[in-house]
Amino acid sequence: YREEKYEEAIAGFKNFIKKFPKSELADNAQYWVGESYMALKQYEQAILAFQDVIKKYPKGNKVPNAILRQALAFYEIKDKTSARLLLKKLIKKYPKSSEAKVAKAKLRVW
């Protein structure tokens, strides 16, 4: 990922999840699949990858960030309604998070 080889990064992260589905890093790997798709501007794929973070690892530390990044992906594909709904959900569910602060700022300009 750091070397901007996003396709390889996606394959590597997915392979990690497949080999170590119960690892405490599985949610992070899934999150980085989403980030890799964002870097490739494959926003629909990113939305789905971030949804997996939210659904499969609901207690993981990456959930607030996954919701935020999902909102940004929706914004990129011109679905402002979904983007705004996700930002509001994020603020309501994680009001004290740094992601909620970003979400509030985005709502003001979107």
Side-chain angles (χ1 to χ4, degrees):
Y1 181 87
R2 286 191 188 117
E3 294 173 11
E4 300 181 7
K5 295 177 182 171
Y6 302 117
E7 300 283 354
E8 289 176 37
I10 291 165
F13 291 129
K14 285 183 174 181
N15 191 36
F16 177 87
I17 296 163
K18 196 173 181 180
K19 280 187 176 170
F20 308 103
K22 301 282 188 232
S23 166
E24 61 185 41
L25 296 175
D27 62 334
N28 286 10
Q30 183 61 47
Y31 174 84
W32 286 102
V33 169
E35 284 295 341
S36 298
Y37 281 124
M38 289 290 279
L40 291 167
K41 297 187 179 351
Q42 294 178 10
Y43 300 114
E44 290 89 350
Q45 289 297 110
I47 289 165
L48 295 173
F50 290 130
Q51 189 61 33
D52 279 349
V53 174
I54 297 160
K55 283 276 185 262
K56 293 180 181 174
Y57 312 100
K59 296 193 183 338
N61 68 333
K62 288 293 188 189
V63 173
N65 215 324
I67 297 169
L68 177 62
R69 299 298 287 161
Q70 205 175 36
L72 296 173
F74 272 114
Y75 187 82
E76 289 292 339
I77 60 169
K78 310 289 186 249
D79 184 348
K80 290 184 182 175
T81 303
S82 294
R84 290 178 65 82
L85 286 171
L86 282 168
L87 293 177
K88 289 176 182 174
K89 173 185 170 183
L90 171 59
I91 293 164
K92 187 175 183 183
K93 200 165 180 187
Y94 302 96
K96 296 191 182 335
S97 68
S98 59
E99 291 86 358
K101 287 184 189 130
V102 174
K104 287 175 188 170
K106 293 284 183 200
L107 280 172
R108 282 194 287 271
V109 295
W110 290 355

